[in-house]
Each structure stands twice: as structure tokens, then as C-alpha cells.
Amino acid sequence: MTQPVSGSPNPAGERWNVNLPAVIGLVFVFLVGVIVWVVVSSGGDDDAAVSTTSTSVAVPATGGSTTTQPVTQTTSPAPMPDPSAVATSTSADPTKPPVTTAPGAGEGAVPGDLAVPGRPMQRPGCDESFITVLASAVGAQATAAGIGNVLDTYPGSNYLRTDQTCPSLTPDIDGEPIYVVYLGPFAFASDACAARAEGPQGAYARRLSAEVGPDHGVACD
């Protein structure tokens, strides 16, 4: 006889025993991973000027398993430097030698000052006023002693360097600076013309202006 086999087979239709908490945990981990992937992918288009660093934080899941989720930390970009703090420089005309003042000229002297004792060189404004030119000297002929003698001869006179004053005065002769001893300024041309009587023969009037050139003329009766 055939002996029955011990134990009973699984009856038909019997269902498998499933660990429900473990399944829930796996689903949760999967969803967290998808969300993290979406967040990281969308963050790639952020402004490149902002720096980011990533750290990982453990997130517990059901069933005892854990998953890691990156956390993005954002730092602000460094501020731009203050434009006002940036140094600026200007360059002189390379075709002309630099204008210097003589040793002994006072502080804040006009460039080209000859250091005439007690008589600083002037720079009158280009305000359409008038001066009476008494004498002039060009280049090396202009010395502190020579200009000083003319100033002493005509009380109330001053001296200037034309290329440091107004465009209405001839700036130089063959590149050499021109120094002028003058009376004024006067508000009216008639006053400058009248002052010629106080100077040497050949004294003439000139306008101090930024609007006219050296070829202008001042008519005196």
C-alpha cells in the first residue's frame, strides 16, 4: 500500500503571507527618492552667481530602513566694490613737457609760477573781462628778476602765464611759454583801454574769454 505523505499541502486558493509594514516602508523610500530627484533637477537652472553647498540628512522610513535626502544651503554672492573707491588717473599730453613751478613758489601756486618774491603768479577767470598788457617775455627770457622789475615799475600790476589762463590769449610761441605783466582785470574794454596810459608805449587791451580765440581784437579809441 502506498503510505500517505506526512504534512498537508497548501489548500487551493491559499494566499501568501505579506509583511504589510515592510511594503509601506519601501514605497515611502521610493517616493522620497523621486521627490529629491525632482528638486535637485529643477535647482540646476538657478542663477550661477549664487553658490550652493549640499549636505545629506538621514530620514527614517517605516520598517527600520533609512534614506538620505540632500539639503541645499544657499550663500549670498559677495558685494560688488564701491565704484567711488576705485582709483582713477589722468595722463598729461605726451607732446608737451610738464609745467612746473620754480623752487620757492608758495603752496598752491599756479603751474609755471616763477617764484617772484612776494608776487605770486595769477590766474584770472575767463569771464569776459579785460586786461591791459604792459610787457611780455617768452621762454627763457622770463625770469623772476626780470618780471619782478616790471612789476615794481608799474604799481598794481600782476603777471600770468598765457597757457595757464584763457584760450583768448596766445598760449605759446614755437612751443615756448609766454609770461605777461598786466593791469586789471577790468569789467569794460574802455577801462582797459584807458589803463594803457599808465603803461609803456605799445600797451594794449585783451579779453579774458573762453569763447573767443587769440586772434580777437579789442578796439580802443
Side-chain angles (χ1 to χ4, degrees):
M1 294 181 62
T2 301
Q3 297 294 328
V5 180
S6 62
S8 301
N10 288 332
E14 182 179 356
R15 298 180 179 178
W16 293 96
N17 185 19
V18 179
N19 189 341
L20 184 58
V23 173
I24 295 174
L26 291 175
V27 173
F28 178 81
V29 172
F30 175 77
L31 293 176
V32 169
V34 171
I35 293 173
V36 169
W37 179 82
V38 171
V39 171
V40 172
S41 298
S42 63
D45 295 332
D46 289 342
D47 188 356
V50 179
S51 60
T52 60
T53 57
S54 298
T55 58
S56 297
V57 178
V59 178
T62 305
S65 62
T66 61
T67 184
T68 59
Q69 178 177 354
V71 178
T72 301
Q73 297 178 344
T74 302
T75 57
S76 299
M80 294 296 292
D82 184 358
S84 64
V86 180
T88 58
S89 62
T90 58
S91 57
D93 185 349
T95 64
K96 293 183 179 181
V99 179
T100 60
T101 58
E107 183 178 356
V110 177
D113 193 308
L114 296 175
V116 178
R119 304 300 297 271
M121 192 172 78
Q122 301 298 303
R123 180 187 274 169
C126 306
D127 55 3
E128 305 300 324
S129 58
F130 299 86
I131 60 173
T132 303
V133 177
L134 305 176
S136 62
V138 180
Q141 297 177 355
T143 64
I147 295 293
N149 287 337
V150 179
L151 293 172
D152 291 341
T153 301
Y154 301 99
S157 62
N158 287 290
Y159 81 104
L160 58 79
R161 178 167 156 162
T162 57
D163 64 350
Q164 298 298 309
T165 312
C166 300
S168 59
L169 303 180
T170 303
D172 60 70
I173 295 178
D174 296 330
E176 296 293 330
I178 304 172
Y179 287 83
V180 168
V181 177
Y182 67 95
L183 294 173
F186 302 99
F188 302 101
S190 58
D191 293 334
C193 291
R196 293 180 304 162
E198 302 177 24
Q201 185 178 3
Y204 58 94
R206 300 293 283 173
R207 179 185 299 178
L208 299 177
S209 174
E211 304 298 329
V212 300
D215 56 349
H216 79 280
V218 177
C220 294
D221 296 335

